[in-house]
Amino acid sequence: MATNLDNTSALLMISKELDEEEVRDLRFLCADHFPAGKTIDTALKIFTELQQLDLDIIPELLYQIQRYKLLPILGKQKADVEQFLRQQGNSKISNYRVLLYNLSKMIDDEEVKSITFILKIPKNKLQDIKNFMDICTDLEKREQLAPDNLQVLLEAMTQIKRLDLKSKLENYQKKTQVSLPQQESRKQPKDPNQETFPEISRSAHADAMSIVSAGTESHQDLQQAPSAADHPAVERPHIQQAGGSTTEQSSHAMANLHRAMTAMSMEPTQETSTASSLDAVAALPPCSLAQTSSHSEENQRNSQGIGVYKMDSEPLGICLILNNRSFPGTKFKERNGTDRDAEKLSQVFAMLGFEIDKHDNLTVERMNEILQKYQKFNHETNDCFVCCILSHGERDAIVGTDGKLLRIRNIRSMFSGSHCHSLLEKPKVFFIQACQGKCLQTPCPVMDCATSNNSDLESDAILRSIPEDRDFLFAMSTVPDCVSYRTGEGSWFIQTLCTCLEEYCCQKYDLLTILTEVNRRVSEKHPILKQIPEPRFTLSKKLIISPLASRR
């Protein structure tokens, strides 16, 4: 639902039509998108903040506060917005926040006073309490209220005898089956010495145009040449760097997949910068939370072979998309074409039955906040969690719009079994479109090679426990130390991934098989410029994601 957010006169006209109460309503509905503690006290400031966040939700906001007559100023009608919001994944305002907003409109001033008394809100805060939304905001600041913790409101509604509103809260809880998160989900990421991915090298990255001019001078006129690589630096790498003799570059993609499946070990291993990134899987620490295995599930595996993850909830889960395009004030260049990737991912995963939550242009701090939100989120009713991160990068790290690094090992730690209990034994899938270094992959002549022998390194897991780092899949756009390619139409990896998901999910291929085809297509994308994606996984079953329409 495109809105011309650059139309300043339209937004100014709308802001003049909104009164003080409506501005408070807008601010509350947008609270999940704004930094905590930031003062935004006018409609125009709200709209400006939304512009800076690249959030196209003004029509949705006007619809929620029932200012339908202002929609035509933006070229919309009420029916347009209703139809748009009926499509799963389009709403940018959470059901939790809409619920609280609607409850506020049903509670009068006397009931607000009663609730403040029941909740023992400090006297110095009472002057700031104008309505029920202000009460909710105060409770959220004190961490007494959250999407997965409505108990304080349930008790308040019982005491003021608003059983109708209590019923609405209970229906929301029943629908989402929200409960208090386990204690483990509130822990901070574990000690870096226990994390599973190798240290990040801080080597400089190569701009794609530099790569083209340095390595493929005689092919500058090729129409397939990318317009930019996922790397900001303008320095030209030496051709000698293209060889970059790392284990990852010299190994075949299929061999990587086989090694990952057999590399499980209960003993941590010391990692080096030249070791294969897949060796990190061998460093998985034992799970501190013993879980009872399902005997029926074990019997099913014994009788039917490889198990299959349960994937039939509605929605299947959250698909979080973190899309970084602009990096103002840093050395990193704008990532043209990334919005096409984010748009395509939104379409494909909505089709597959996921609830989409997309955020644009985020600092590392903001990315951490959003990831921690879903670390603490109750995923009990969902079967899967997907996170797509589109940005510049270094080896095993993502770059924020502030130029700082977010290490992938920290992301993984957030969602491990110890720290995100509601995703235990459920697939956690990360698609990461980012450079991993400055090297250019060298095209090699095809030779007949014997397939790597599969050594039987797997050992039976302890019956009543599982490793905390099980059931992950990180699909990297490229191997460590190498660049990723991107054009104005999107990146090679994400566009190929989406195409393959559309083609093969409906045929019930498992995700690793699909990613193998993604590897092949990306590796054959250009006769000279080379890129090979790299899945890293600890999945314990087949992951088959069928389109939502085929499951109904």
Side-chain angles (χ1 to χ4, degrees):
M1 183 172 62
T3 302
N4 184 8
L5 292 180
D6 293 327
N7 191 341
T8 306
S9 60
L11 297 181
L12 183 60
M13 187 183 305
I14 292 172
S15 65
K16 290 180 178 179
E17 293 291 327
L18 300 173
D19 60 30
E20 184 178 345
E21 181 180 351
E22 289 170 329
V23 171
R24 289 201 302 268
D25 293 349
L26 292 178
R27 189 169 59 241
F28 181 80
L29 290 169
C30 291
D32 295 329
H33 300 293
F34 293 159
K38 187 168 185 177
T39 303
I40 306 175
D41 53 5
T42 68
L44 198 55
K45 286 183 179 179
I46 292 174
F47 296 155
T48 300
E49 188 74 18
L50 292 175
Q51 283 182 287
Q52 294 175 351
L53 295 173
D54 201 18
L55 281 171
D56 180 12
I57 63 171
I58 296 177
E60 182 179 355
L61 288 171
L62 296 177
Y63 178 84
Q64 291 293 354
I65 68 173
Q66 299 183 21
R67 290 305 304 268
Y68 309 129
K69 291 184 179 180
L70 298 179
L71 289 171
I73 299 176
L74 298 174
K76 305 292 179 185
Q77 298 295 331
K78 179 183 176 183
D80 298 331
V81 181
E82 286 178 343
Q83 182 179 3
F84 177 80
L85 294 179
R86 275 197 292 267
Q87 299 175 25
Q88 191 175 24
N90 282 346
S91 176
K92 300 297 189 300
I93 305 173
S94 69
N95 292 335
Y96 158 77
R97 201 146 295 279
V98 171
L99 170 69
L100 297 183
Y101 171 73
N102 289 333
L103 292 182
S104 180
K105 298 305 176 183
M106 302 171 68
I107 296 176
D108 61 31
D109 292 342
E110 288 302 316
E111 288 170 327
V112 168
K113 292 178 181 178
S114 298
I115 293 172
T116 57
F117 176 78
I118 292 168
L119 298 180
K120 299 180 180 180
I121 293 179
K123 291 183 179 180
N124 61 333
K125 296 284 186 68
L126 292 179
Q127 60 183 4
D128 299 324
I129 303 298
K130 307 295 183 185
N131 53 36
F132 180 70
M133 287 181 289
D134 293 334
I135 293 176
C136 293
T137 300
D138 181 70
L139 292 173
E140 288 174 333
K141 289 179 180 178
R142 290 189 277 157
E143 298 186 354
Q144 295 179 7
L145 176 65
D148 55 2
N149 182 13
L150 302 178
Q151 189 59 38
V152 65
L153 294 186
L154 288 169
E155 294 174 359
M157 296 306 159
T158 300
Q159 293 196 45
I160 67 171
K161 298 182 179 181
R162 286 300 304 267
L163 301 184
D164 56 328
L165 303 187
K166 180 183 178 183
S167 177
K168 290 181 182 295
L169 290 166
E170 289 173 337
N171 287 339
Y172 170 83
Q173 278 192 325
K174 184 178 180 180
K175 184 176 179 181
T176 58
Q177 291 188 4
V178 174
S179 61
L180 284 172
Q182 296 291 325
Q183 182 72 22
E184 292 79 5
S185 70
R186 297 187 180 274
K187 294 179 182 177
Q188 294 301 314
K190 56 180 177 288
D191 186 88
N193 293 329
Q194 296 179 334
E195 292 163 334
T196 57
F197 282 104
E199 273 297 320
I200 313 302
S201 81
R202 294 184 174 269
S203 58
H205 295 33
D207 181 85
M209 296 310 295
S210 300
I211 294 171
V212 173
S213 61
T216 61
E217 191 169 342
S218 60
H219 298 272
Q220 288 181 355
D221 295 329
L222 287 175
Q223 293 182 355
Q224 296 181 18
S227 64
D230 277 325
H231 199 285
V234 295
E235 59 189 9
R236 296 165 182 255
H238 295 294
I239 298 301
Q240 289 84 347
Q241 293 173 339
S245 58
T246 62
T247 304
E248 294 82 3
Q249 288 173 268
S250 62
S251 62
H252 294 289
M254 285 304 297
N256 283 346
L257 293 180
H258 287 304
R259 282 203 305 277
M261 285 189 290
T262 58
M264 295 297 293
S265 169
M266 298 304 288
E267 293 298 326
T269 60
Q270 186 173 0
E271 300 159 353
T272 66
S273 60
T274 59
S276 167
S277 60
L278 290 171
D279 291 341
V281 186
L284 301 181
C287 182
S288 59
L289 298 172
Q291 298 296 320
T292 303
S293 299
S294 168
H295 293 290
S296 61
E297 195 175 304
E298 187 71 26
N299 292 335
Q300 182 181 10
R301 284 197 297 271
N302 291 336
S303 61
Q304 300 181 8
I306 300 175
V308 179
Y309 287 107
K310 175 183 177 296
M311 293 291 286
D312 58 10
S313 64
E314 288 192 26
L316 274 179
I318 303 296
C319 176
L320 175 64
I321 301 174
L322 306 181
N323 175 40
N324 287 342
R325 180 184 64 255
S326 302
F327 301 78
T330 72
K331 65 179 182 179
F332 297 94
K333 297 177 66 176
E334 184 163 322
R335 301 181 62 253
N336 295 320
T338 189
D339 290 342
R340 301 292 291 270
D341 285 347
E343 179 182 355
K344 189 66 174 176
L345 287 167
S346 298
Q347 293 172 355
V348 169
F349 280 97
M351 176 269 295
L352 293 175
F354 286 83
E355 181 179 326
I356 309 300
D357 185 14
K358 185 172 79 72
H359 300 266
D360 297 317
N361 297 324
L362 307 165
T363 63
V364 165
E365 181 179 2
R366 182 62 180 140
M367 284 195 287
N368 265 317
E369 288 175 356
I370 294 171
L371 289 166
Q372 287 168 3
K373 168 187 171 183
Y374 284 106
Q375 174 197 17
K376 297 174 182 178
F377 184 79
N378 191 298
H379 300 268
E380 290 296 334
T381 60
N382 298 338
D383 288 336
C384 184
F385 175 70
V386 172
C387 177
C388 308
I389 305 179
L390 317 173
S391 190
H392 288 302
E394 290 190 6
R395 183 183 171 110
D396 286 321
I398 307 300
V399 177
T401 56
D402 52 357
K404 297 179 181 179
L405 293 181
L406 172 60
R407 301 180 188 275
I408 295 174
R409 66 185 183 202
N410 291 342
I411 299 174
R412 180 168 181 153
S413 177
M414 286 185 200
F415 294 93
S416 69
S418 295
H419 299 140
C420 187
H421 192 72
S422 62
L423 281 176
L424 195 65
E425 296 190 278
K426 297 179 181 180
K428 299 159 278 285
V429 181
F430 294 80
F431 297 105
I432 297 179
Q433 169 59 41
C435 276
Q436 290 290 287
K438 64 183 178 179
C439 293
L440 175 67
Q441 295 184 45
T442 304
C444 299
V446 177
M447 297 179 293
D448 291 330
C449 298
T451 304
S452 299
N453 293 327
N454 290 333
S455 57
D456 186 11
L457 299 180
E458 292 181 299
S459 59
D460 292 336
I462 300 172
L463 181 60
R464 297 188 180 276
S465 67
I466 64 171
E468 68 171 353
D469 283 293
R470 202 182 80 170
D471 305 306
F472 276 96
L473 192 157
F474 277 80
M476 313 296 294
S477 64
T478 188
V479 295
D481 301 322
C482 290
V483 297
S484 267
Y485 292 113
R486 172 174 39 80
T487 74
E489 298 301 311
S491 63
W492 287 7
F493 173 62
I494 294 298
Q495 293 297 317
T496 304
L497 169 68
C498 290
T499 297
C500 288
L501 290 174
E502 289 176 322
E503 289 182 18
Y504 296 114
C505 282
C506 59
Q507 301 180 47
K508 297 190 176 180
Y509 281 88
D510 69 278
L511 186 55
L512 288 180
T513 299
I514 295 173
L515 288 175
T516 302
E517 175 63 10
V518 172
N519 282 1
R520 184 192 67 79
R521 293 190 187 186
V522 172
S523 68
E524 298 175 358
K525 198 80 173 177
H526 193 278
I528 302 298
L529 304 178
K530 292 301 172 185
Q531 176 182 336
I532 182 70
E534 182 187 56
R536 313 169 185 177
F537 65 94
T538 58
L539 298 180
S540 57
K541 303 176 186 178
K542 284 187 177 182
L543 178 52
I544 299 174
I545 309 175
S546 301
L548 179 62
S550 69
R551 301 198 306 270
R552 289 177 171 173

